[in-house]
Amino acid sequence: MNDNQFGELITGTGSTESLELLKAALDSSVSGIIITDNRLPDNPIVYCNASFERISGYSRPEIIGHNCRFLQARDRKQPERQMLKEAIVEGKTVNVEIRNYTKDGTLFWNELYVSPIKNAEGQVTHFVGVQHDVTRRKNAEHTLRNERELIEQTVKQRTLSLEQTREYLESIIQTVRESLLVLDAEFRVMTANQHFLKTFKVDRSETIGQNLFNLGNGQWDIDRLKELLNDILPTNNPVLDFEVEHDFPHIGRKLMLLNAYRIELEGEFKDRILLSIEDITERRAIEVRKDDFLSVASHELKTPLTTVKGYVQVINHMLSEQSGDKLKEIVGKTSTQIDRLNKLIAELLDVSKIQSGNLEIHRDVFDFDKMVKEVIENIQSVSPNHTIKLSGATNVTYSGDESQLTQVISNLLSNAIKYSPDHQEISVYLSVISGYLKFSVSDQGLGINQNDQAKIFERFYRVSNIQKKYPGMGIGLYVCEQIIKQHKGDLWVDSEENKGSTFSFTLPLLNDESK
Ligand code: ADP
């Protein structure tokens, strides 16, 4: 096309050839183009290009002469229609995205530019509409919007459920009957529950945000506690049963039991410490009263029993050849029962001595193996149903409390017999290992399950299923362990339920104790 032809196209004064050229150019455009004549009734379409046919699915004869509204089919309530009408009335340019329908009824989104064409007098004679099918973009936008809404919805729900979880945990923390503090990594108080505030008679403002070690009158400012708390976050080692006795402001002297754990949560709650504080003043006072009672009661029982034992001995001496067998038997049985009672009372006394820290050891040098043999003989003589076999030797002249160690061995042997009623063999083994003498006694009796093994050395603990069948008070092993500890040794058990148990202890030897 030369400059002249182009000029004719623009001015509309061109030949038929130029007109054809112009049409061809419009037909090759990817945009759908229509022209409406504003001067004719109902503003009909007077021109459409090939792309408009393609986009709308209608052919030229079905388009020319119609008002554009057929493109909206029955979808007439779109606000964009109003915008189009107003622009046409006012002879203005407008740009809308409107829902249109192809001939076969398929929806397509039409991005429509409408601009007026004016004559030399400035009157609007035509409108040109240029359109693009933007359905794909619209659909993508729609999907994106849906996804965003879905994500927003999910986030909302998640936030709500987190908030509910937080409130739920908060309500637990607030209701437990134990003082709880949540600390950050610098030991500043982040949360204090009601029970804490009530127990220490403080309010939130003097607690929250404060460093733990500055609370009250510095009651928690204890070097050892600091050390343990410092270890929690890096090592995850909890602080267990740390006792603090202190003159607290407002509440006076109290004994508090502290336990602290690292909070095992990721994200927002990471690096926090949960500190629980239990007031055990009362409980400890009751325990002390119970121990005092035990001590007084066993002393009070011992005195008359010693007198009764004395009288029974006198009666025994007064028995003559002529006294009846029945009487002799009764006196003998009375004496045995008094010895049993004496032993029980002695054990109770031992417990109260241990509790008050008065279990003293009187060291003397003695032949360890000989002592063991004597205990075995004693126990064997009253246990005809069992056979106690001794093997090994220590060959040690040991320096320790012979009577207490006799008590330990006697207790362990008695237990081995008591708790293996159907298995007669009891083995005792003596040895020396790397500067320690070792004593073991094994039975093939009831055995002890793993759970109970940890507890049988506690005072008054007895394995529940044997309580009724086998008499006892659950203090023998407690006393044994304390005696061995006093001698700087170690007492332990290896056992399997229904297979048997081996109780062993080791005692450290001085250089000159091995013979
Ligand atoms: P007691 O024998 O008076 O109950 P102990 O302190 O000597 O008290 O023992 C505590 C508990 O340990 C016993 O009640 C028993 O359940 C368990 N026990 C001790 N020795 C043995 C053993 N050799 N075999 C099985 N259980 C044992």
Side-chain angles (χ1 to χ4, degrees):
M1 197 189 299
N2 59 36
D3 282 355
N4 198 24
Q5 282 173 317
F6 188 73
E8 286 166 355
L9 267 180
I10 300 298
T11 56
T13 59
S15 60
T16 317
E17 191 191 342
S18 328
L19 203 64
E20 285 309 313
L21 210 57
L22 187 66
K23 274 184 174 169
L26 288 172
D27 279 342
S28 63
S29 161
V30 287
S31 312
I33 299 169
I34 53 169
I35 300 173
T36 63
D37 192 334
N38 201 32
R39 294 162 307 182
L40 299 177
D42 206 22
N43 199 10
I45 299 170
V46 293
Y47 169 80
C48 76
N49 72 346
S51 275
F52 185 81
E53 285 181 296
R54 187 179 42 77
I55 293 172
S56 69
Y58 291 95
S59 62
R60 235 168 239 168
E62 292 167 309
I63 297 167
I64 305 297
H66 290 259
N67 180 285
C68 293
R69 74 175 73 87
F70 72 90
L71 286 171
Q72 279 104 50
R74 286 200 211 123
D75 193 356
R76 295 286 165 86
K77 289 203 174 116
Q78 306 181 61
E80 287 77 9
R81 275 173 55 84
Q82 191 55 33
M83 289 164 71
L84 280 171
K85 273 189 196 160
E86 281 166 16
I88 288 167
V89 171
E90 291 166 24
K92 284 188 179 160
T93 300
V94 68
N95 179 12
V96 293
E97 280 178 7
I98 187 164
R99 281 192 301 277
N100 282 179
Y101 296 83
T102 60
K103 187 178 173 185
D104 67 6
T106 312
L107 167 81
F108 70 95
W109 278 94
N110 191 354
E111 183 188 46
L112 176 63
Y113 296 89
V114 175
S115 45
I117 299 171
K118 295 178 182 164
N119 62 14
E121 287 80 45
Q123 283 166 333
V124 177
T125 58
H126 296 85
F127 279 95
V128 178
V130 179
Q131 32 232 315
H132 295 114
D133 180 350
V134 291
T135 314
R136 266 209 244 153
R137 196 195 78 209
K138 273 290 204 197
N139 283 348
E141 278 174 12
H142 190 68
T143 316
L144 208 68
R145 201 169 42 243
N146 276 352
E147 274 172 12
R148 206 173 49 221
E149 274 169 13
L150 200 72
I151 289 170
E152 276 168 9
Q153 190 72 11
T154 317
V155 168
K156 243 191 219 160
Q157 272 170 2
R158 188 97 187 89
T159 316
L160 187 74
S161 97
L162 275 176
E163 184 58 22
Q164 282 167 345
T165 313
R166 203 188 62 75
E167 279 171 12
Y168 174 66
L169 291 177
E170 182 78 18
S171 69
I172 293 177
I173 286 186
Q174 292 303 346
T175 25
V176 286
R177 290 176 51 80
E178 199 167 317
S179 300
L180 291 177
L181 293 179
V182 177
L183 309 173
D184 68 10
E186 269 78 48
F187 308 113
R188 274 187 304 255
V189 179
M190 307 198 67
T191 310
N193 72 345
Q194 279 302 333
H195 199 270
F196 176 91
L197 303 175
K198 234 168 80 188
T199 304
F200 292 94
K201 295 194 173 38
V202 286
D203 62 38
R204 226 166 261 284
S205 66
E206 54 189 316
T207 312
I208 306 293
Q210 298 294 321
N211 187 291
L212 174 76
F213 306 117
N214 297 336
L215 289 183
N217 56 8
Q219 58 243 32
W220 316 118
D221 191 3
I222 302 165
D223 288 346
R224 180 67 191 135
L225 180 62
K226 259 187 195 161
E227 243 172 66
L228 292 171
L229 286 174
N230 263 321
D231 263 5
I232 285 191
L233 291 179
T235 64
N236 201 12
N237 280 338
V239 176
L240 296 176
D241 294 340
F242 188 90
E243 288 186 12
V244 176
E245 192 169 6
H246 187 83
D247 230 327
F248 292 88
H250 316 301
I251 57 171
R253 192 145 202 92
K254 295 277 173 192
L255 180 62
M256 299 287 174
L257 189 70
L258 271 61
N259 280 279
Y261 297 87
R262 185 171 84 177
I263 294 178
E264 292 287 310
L265 284 173
E266 278 307 308
E268 203 195 332
F269 299 105
K270 218 178 128 217
D271 292 339
R272 304 268 168 90
I273 298 167
L274 180 68
L275 177 65
S276 82
I277 303 167
E278 196 187 345
D279 182 350
I280 56 164
T281 321
E282 273 289 300
R283 199 209 300 168
R284 185 55 55 82
I286 292 170
E287 275 170 19
V288 169
R289 276 210 294 282
K290 207 170 68 194
D291 289 339
D292 288 351
F293 167 77
L294 206 68
S295 162
V296 172
S298 35
H299 268 115
E300 291 302 313
L301 288 171
K302 204 173 165 60
T303 321
L305 197 65
T306 313
T307 316
V308 173
K309 191 175 164 66
Y311 284 134
V312 171
Q313 274 168 354
V314 173
I315 294 170
N316 209 15
H317 283 128
M318 285 164 68
L319 288 177
S320 63
E321 292 286 309
Q322 286 77 37
S323 307
D325 285 349
K326 191 73 197 161
L327 181 62
K328 282 182 187 162
E329 192 193 326
I330 289 172
V331 174
K333 278 187 177 165
T334 310
S335 179
T336 312
Q337 292 305 325
I338 289 171
D339 286 346
R340 267 194 71 190
L341 211 53
N342 242 333
K343 198 168 162 268
L344 287 175
I345 292 170
E347 279 185 349
L348 283 176
L349 270 172
D350 282 342
V351 173
S352 63
K353 274 189 213 151
I354 292 166
Q355 285 314 111
S356 56
N358 291 333
L359 184 80
E360 289 167 10
I361 56 169
H362 303 284
R363 282 190 190 269
D364 253 328
V365 174
F366 65 94
D367 183 332
F368 190 82
D369 297 0
K370 191 167 157 247
M371 179 271 279
V372 173
K373 275 181 203 145
E374 281 169 9
V375 179
I376 291 177
E377 271 166 28
N378 268 335
I379 297 205
Q380 184 67 82
S381 68
V382 289
S383 317
N385 296 333
H386 288 82
T387 313
I388 308 173
K389 283 192 184 147
L390 171 68
S391 57
T394 66
N395 299 320
V396 158
T397 307
Y398 183 71
S399 162
D401 193 315
E402 186 174 4
S403 112
Q404 287 183 5
L405 291 172
T406 301
Q407 191 183 338
V408 172
I409 290 167
S410 168
N411 254 327
L412 297 180
L413 277 173
S414 309
N415 278 350
I417 287 169
K418 181 157 82 171
Y419 297 113
S420 55
D422 304 325
H423 296 85
Q424 58 175 29
E425 196 171 305
I426 308 289
S427 318
V428 174
Y429 183 66
L430 295 175
S431 58
V432 169
I433 310 165
S434 324
Y436 288 83
L437 72 75
K438 180 174 176 188
F439 169 95
S440 302
V441 51
S442 304
D443 63 63
Q444 293 155 12
L446 303 177
I448 307 157
N449 70 36
Q450 282 288 332
N451 253 347
D452 288 319
Q453 284 178 34
K455 298 179 187 153
I456 51 172
F457 296 100
E458 291 170 14
R459 69 194 160 128
F460 306 123
Y461 188 84
R462 309 198 69 218
V463 176
S464 57
N465 57 349
I466 56 111
Q467 297 228 22
K468 287 191 191 115
K469 210 163 157 204
Y470 304 89
M473 292 196 290
I475 49 182
L477 287 178
Y478 170 72
V479 173
C480 289
E481 191 183 39
Q482 299 304 317
I483 293 174
I484 296 297
K485 266 193 188 155
Q486 289 270 18
H487 285 80
K488 309 261 180 287
D490 192 30
L491 169 66
W492 71 96
V493 63
D494 293 300
S495 182
E496 208 177 316
E497 222 173 348
N498 301 321
K499 294 256 171 73
S501 314
T502 298
F503 282 85
S504 310
F505 68 78
T506 47
L507 294 172
L509 295 174
L510 302 173
N511 282 341
D512 55 352
E513 281 175 335
S514 310
K515 271 191 208 154

